[in-house]
Amino acid sequence: MSKITAAITGVGGYVPDFVLTNKILETMVDTNDEWITTRTGIKERRILKEEGKGTSFLAIKAAEDLLRKKNLNPKDIDLVIVATATPDMKAASTAAYTATQIGATNAFSYDLEAACSSFLFGMSTASAYIESGRYKKVLLIGADKNSSFINYKDRATCIIFGDGAGAVLFEPNEEGLGLQDEILRSNGEGREFLQATYGGSSYPIKADTFDEGKHYVFQDGKTVFKNAVFNMADVAERILKKNDLTNDDISWLVAHQANKRIIDATANRINLDDSKVMMNIQKYGNTTSATLPLLLNDYESQLKKGDKIIFAAFGGGFTWGSIYLKWAYN
Ligand SMILES: CC(C)(COP(=O)(O)OP(=O)(O)OC[C@H]1O[C@@H](n2cnc3c(N)ncnc32)[C@H](O)[C@@H]1OP(=O)(O)O)[C@@H](O)C(=O)NCCC(=O)NCCS
């Protein structure tokens, strides 16, 4: 019997309607379109404005898009993983709510959090369940409502992040397609450079810290930038070497959309032409766990069976890694 690999067999995506443009940000903080565009590549991002709607709202929409496109009965799904850094609430699982709302009533579900690497690490988790033969249909959703913890008075962060969600289905494959290899890493010494300090178990929110805005995301942009460039490019290069691949073999780079300059640096390190680099940061900004599946969703019609794809991500923690995957359908 041939070895079972874990292939992506469907994708879906969702972004909210409200478009927060660089022009609008110019009216909110001391910044300008030219600075944001040249430093990050971002022109606009989507924001979920409606009161009471959290990350699950985005996750449900992306999952429903996938179910519709694949004509999949949600009752056939075994497991729903929601990769997110912005769960709906403490204690209650965002994935459990999402799974029930989409009708995946035979599935179990849980959240997975590794900041901007959540979806990449989730690909490893979802694939392992499939490869082991334990489950046949694993729905992996990357969703984040970043606007829920961004300070729209802080120009260092509010220009970068947006809201969105993407979903993929992993199923067994006997043609050797799907996930081939991975290099995943973390280093907790990086956590001081990118975090929302208050609101977790170390520092619960108190009235005085609330006034100081310490529940919002803080980042030392320069340090994060340097580490992201070094580590994302490093793992992408190493996974190519490890699998005897050259730039000619690679059809696509699917890189976390945090900053166009970080993506370009990763592509340059593996000598990949711009035409092979998926890019949608200009439309959505950094949607954290949703960047990779939203790229797949936007580029789905251009993907061909057998395409060799390199995924790469870097995020808070620090967390980072690269995955090599063969696309499974036209
Ligand atoms: C945030 C980031 C775009 C800032 O770009 P940068 O080139 O490093 O800019 P710096 O932070 O050094 O700031 C340069 C200057 O621009 C200013 N500046 C910062 N944000 C600005 C903004 N939105 N508009 C205008 N000026 C801004 C700074 O105050 C600084 O001014 P100074 O030189 O007078 O002190 C960049 O560091 C970055 O992308 N970091 C990684 C972010 C990331 O990937 N985060 C998520 C990880 S998953």
Side-chain angles (χ1 to χ4, degrees), residues 129-253:
Y129 279 118
I130 299 287
E131 289 159 4
S132 71
R134 191 178 291 201
Y135 300 113
K136 299 253 181 297
K137 287 187 180 4
V138 178
L139 182 65
L140 172 64
I141 308 168
D144 270 303
K145 185 184 166 187
N146 286 316
S147 60
S148 64
F149 70 173
I150 294 296
N151 179 357
Y152 285 95
K153 290 183 176 144
D154 175 11
R155 67 178 184 175
T157 51
C158 74
I159 57 147
I160 292 171
F161 293 96
D163 302 339
V168 303
L169 186 71
F170 276 95
E171 289 186 278
N173 184 284
E174 293 194 8
E175 297 175 86
L177 301 169
L179 194 141
Q180 306 292 309
D181 198 12
E182 65 187 31
I183 303 175
L184 307 178
R185 293 286 179 269
S186 59
N187 178 356
E189 283 175 11
R191 89 166 169 180
E192 67 183 279
F193 304 110
L194 176 52
Q195 60 179 237
T197 312
Y198 281 76
S201 57
S202 299
Y203 305 103
I205 298 178
K206 296 189 187 129
D208 53 336
T209 59
F210 180 83
D211 292 341
E212 289 171 37
K214 287 189 172 169
H215 52 291
Y216 291 125
V217 167
F218 153 84
Q219 76 164 340
D220 172 346
K222 261 202 184 344
T223 305
V224 175
F225 184 88
K226 270 190 224 151
N227 278 275
V229 166
F230 177 81
N231 288 306
M232 247 169 73
D234 179 62
V235 282
E237 187 179 34
R238 283 203 286 138
I239 207 159
L240 257 71
K241 276 200 184 125
K242 200 172 157 216
N243 289 278
D244 289 324
L245 297 166
T246 69
N247 54 348
D248 286 340
D249 298 319
I250 303 306
S251 307
W252 296 102
L253 173 67

Side-chain angles (χ1 to χ4, degrees), residues 31 35 39 116 155 219 221-222 225 256 258-259 261 314:
T31 190
W35 192 96
R39 299 285 176 124
C116 290
R155 67 178 184 175
Q219 76 164 340
K222 261 202 184 344
F225 184 88
H256 175 52
N259 184 316
R261 290 183 291 145
F314 181 88

Side-chain angles (χ1 to χ4, degrees), residues 10-316:
V11 304
Y14 176 77
V15 288
D17 294 333
F18 182 80
V19 182
L20 179 60
T21 61
N22 290 350
K23 282 279 163 218
I24 298 175
L25 282 169
E26 283 179 8
T27 68
M28 297 162 65
V29 288
D30 180 13
T31 190
N32 59 76
D33 175 48
E34 203 260 331
W35 192 96
I36 301 172
T37 307
T38 52
R39 299 285 176 124
T40 69
I42 302 167
K43 288 301 238 183
E44 53 192 47
R45 55 305 280 139
R46 300 300 185 98
I47 305 295
L48 180 58
K49 287 260 186 188
E50 290 92 332
E51 194 78 21
K53 286 183 179 163
T55 291
S56 63
F57 178 83
L58 306 165
I60 290 164
K61 290 277 190 191
E64 286 174 345
D65 185 42
L66 183 149
L67 292 173
R68 198 168 38 244
K69 279 162 69 183
K70 265 206 75 82
N71 197 17
L72 177 71
N73 182 348
K75 291 196 165 47
D76 293 338
I77 297 170
D78 300 306
L79 165 61
V80 177
I81 300 172
V82 173
T84 185
T86 53
D88 281 5
M89 49 185 76
K90 298 256 160 60
S93 158
T94 302
Y97 182 74
T98 301
T100 301
Q101 290 300 308
I102 63 169
T105 47
N106 294 317
F108 74 110
S109 55
Y110 57 85
D111 299 349
L112 188 157
E113 202 274 317
C116 290
S117 303
S118 300
F119 187 85
L120 189 85
F121 290 8
M123 288 175 69
S124 171
T125 307
S127 295
Y129 279 118
I130 299 287
E131 289 159 4
S132 71
R134 191 178 291 201
Y135 300 113
K136 299 253 181 297
K137 287 187 180 4
V138 178
L139 182 65
L140 172 64
I141 308 168
D144 270 303
K145 185 184 166 187
N146 286 316
S147 60
S148 64
F149 70 173
I150 294 296
N151 179 357
Y152 285 95
K153 290 183 176 144
D154 175 11
R155 67 178 184 175
T157 51
C158 74
I159 57 147
I160 292 171
F161 293 96
D163 302 339
V168 303
L169 186 71
F170 276 95
E171 289 186 278
N173 184 284
E174 293 194 8
E175 297 175 86
L177 301 169
L179 194 141
Q180 306 292 309
D181 198 12
E182 65 187 31
I183 303 175
L184 307 178
R185 293 286 179 269
S186 59
N187 178 356
E189 283 175 11
R191 89 166 169 180
E192 67 183 279
F193 304 110
L194 176 52
Q195 60 179 237
T197 312
Y198 281 76
S201 57
S202 299
Y203 305 103
I205 298 178
K206 296 189 187 129
D208 53 336
T209 59
F210 180 83
D211 292 341
E212 289 171 37
K214 287 189 172 169
H215 52 291
Y216 291 125
V217 167
F218 153 84
Q219 76 164 340
D220 172 346
K222 261 202 184 344
T223 305
V224 175
F225 184 88
K226 270 190 224 151
N227 278 275
V229 166
F230 177 81
N231 288 306
M232 247 169 73
D234 179 62
V235 282
E237 187 179 34
R238 283 203 286 138
I239 207 159
L240 257 71
K241 276 200 184 125
K242 200 172 157 216
N243 289 278
D244 289 324
L245 297 166
T246 69
N247 54 348
D248 286 340
D249 298 319
I250 303 306
S251 307
W252 296 102
L253 173 67
V254 183
H256 175 52
Q257 308 282 292
N259 184 316
K260 184 174 183 300
R261 290 183 291 145
I262 301 174
I263 304 162
D264 289 343
T266 305
N268 284 342
R269 177 76 78 85
I270 54 173
N271 294 316
L272 214 60
D273 190 75
D274 282 354
S275 62
K276 292 181 172 183
V277 181
M278 290 191 190
M279 194 79 75
N280 59 16
I281 191 170
Q282 68 285 0
K283 295 193 285 180
Y284 310 138
N286 181 350
T287 54
T288 302
S289 313
T291 60
L292 303 181
L294 275 175
L295 284 171
L296 294 178
N297 192 53
D298 281 2
Y299 282 81
E300 187 185 19
S301 63
Q302 298 181 53
L303 290 166
K304 291 192 283 300
K305 189 173 174 179
D307 275 358
K308 293 175 176 156
I309 304 177
I310 299 296
F311 292 81
F314 181 88

